Amino acid sequence: MQITDIRIRVVSNDSKMRAVASVTFDDSFVVHDIKVIEGEKGLFIAMPSKKTPNNEYRDVAHPINGEMRNLLQEAILERFKKALDELPDED
């Protein structure tokens, strides 16, 4: 499975959530609402989730193994950094 497109929507710098990503796989399947979060140890991704009846959050879609999670996170964070470079300067 190959990542064939990553779209990033940068959000306000005022929150820990820095961006939202949509990732397309094999030009055939897309996962929306992957969040780019600024944590204590740096940037990481959070997969789309929903709230359960007992107020817990469960991922709706997620990588099954660490290798895929790392590949996905590295690709999204690289695209996020590129998106930041493409933002117009604020004067």
Side-chain angles (χ1 to χ4, degrees):
M1 179 180 301
Q2 299 293 316
I3 296 171
T4 51
D5 188 35
I6 299 176
R7 297 181 187 222
I8 297 285
R9 182 172 46 92
V10 177
V11 296
S12 170
N13 287 337
D14 296 340
S15 73
K16 291 183 184 237
M17 186 171 73
R18 303 293 308 278
V20 178
S22 294
V23 179
T24 304
F25 298 91
D26 293 337
D27 290 320
S28 306
F29 186 81
V30 67
V31 177
H32 296 290
D33 297 328
I34 301 172
K35 296 165 203 67
V36 176
I37 307 290
E38 180 77 49
E40 291 179 11
K41 298 179 182 177
L43 294 171
F44 67 94
I45 62 169
M47 298 303 293
S49 61
K50 68 177 183 175
K51 197 174 195 178
T52 66
N54 51 344
N55 292 325
E56 295 176 352
Y57 286 91
R58 296 195 43 102
D59 288 349
V60 175
H62 59 88
I64 299 177
N65 59 51
E67 180 182 353
M68 183 61 188
R69 176 170 280 283
N70 288 337
L71 185 141
L72 185 59
Q73 180 163 285
E74 288 173 10
I76 291 171
L77 295 181
E78 180 179 315
R79 182 63 187 95
F80 169 67
K81 290 172 185 172
K82 185 176 178 185
L84 289 178
D85 290 342
E86 294 168 355
L87 288 175
D89 291 334
E90 294 181 18
D91 292 334

